[in-house]
Amino acid sequence: MVLAMGMSKGRSRGIAFGLGCALGCLSHTVLAVIGVSALIAASPLAFTALKLVGGLYLLWLGVQALRSRGGTRVARAEMPDRPLATLFFKGVFANAINPKVALFFVAFLPQFVVPANGSVGLQMALLGIVFTAQSALLFGLLGFFAGSGGQWLNGKPRVGTWLDRIAGSIFVALGLRLIVTR
């Protein structure tokens, strides 16, 4: 969505929307902190089940990316010009209500938490903040470079295929790590 927004509406609108999407990650961080922290405190068995489901979800995402035929194309979005603030809040809302992002956070963040290192909630919150910060940087850059980068990607479908393969391999590795670690 950030790429399409940047390509069709320009850099500033792509950046505004991308920063909003990144900030939307904080809502998922809060939910993950509250839910996973409570789950760890209440039941190690339930947390193990959550890790297993999360790991399977990451494996599914990875396999889908590996099976992708690539050739990603970015279409021009047809929409009226909106103020930057409107696009920013649209990005926040779009990410905040996305159930896939929520599931990703619940599956992804816990595998980097070490309960023996202290407050699980604080560790999850810091990981979520770091993730949000790097998302803001990446989405901002994606919005900035969307025009030329999107055109380049449209002209090089094999690059899209390789990007899918790399992302898929990472998701499979993270899913397996989540499933097999204690």
Side-chain angles (χ1 to χ4, degrees):
M1 288 175 55
V2 175
L3 185 60
M5 182 68 68
M7 286 181 66
S8 65
K9 297 298 177 185
R11 287 181 172 169
S12 60
R13 285 175 169 67
I15 292 169
F17 185 77
L19 293 177
C21 286
L23 191 62
C25 292
L26 291 178
S27 65
H28 299 296
T29 298
V30 170
L31 293 175
V33 167
I34 292 168
V36 174
S37 298
L39 194 58
I40 290 171
S43 170
L45 180 62
F47 181 64
T48 300
L50 175 68
K51 283 178 52 173
L52 180 61
V53 170
L56 291 172
Y57 174 67
L58 290 174
L59 281 172
W60 181 80
L61 286 176
V63 169
Q64 295 305 310
L66 289 169
R67 293 179 60 205
S68 168
R69 296 184 186 262
T72 301
R73 299 201 54 87
V74 182
R76 294 189 67 82
E78 294 299 326
M79 62 178 9
D81 285 336
R82 296 199 170 117
L84 295 180
T86 301
L87 291 173
F88 174 81
F89 287 111
K90 183 179 178 181
V92 171
F93 184 72
N95 198 338
I97 65 167
N98 188 337
K100 288 190 224 176
V101 178
L103 185 55
F104 180 80
F105 263 68
V106 170
F108 185 73
L109 291 182
Q111 67 183 306
F112 299 103
V113 171
V114 180
N117 288 349
S119 173
V120 169
L122 179 60
Q123 289 181 60
M124 295 270 293
L126 290 173
L127 287 169
I129 290 168
V130 167
F131 186 89
T132 299
Q134 66 87 25
S135 294
L137 176 65
L138 292 175
F139 286 168
L141 288 171
L142 183 59
F144 183 82
F145 291 111
S148 57
Q151 289 171 355
W152 180 80
L153 184 60
N154 278 342
K156 308 240 187 264
R158 293 191 70 176
V159 172
T161 301
W162 279 105
L163 290 173
D164 285 345
R165 301 298 182 264
I166 291 167
S169 298
I170 291 169
F171 283 147
V172 166
L174 289 172
L176 290 173
R177 180 178 185 262
L178 190 59
I179 290 169
V180 299
T181 58
R182 293 185 174 231

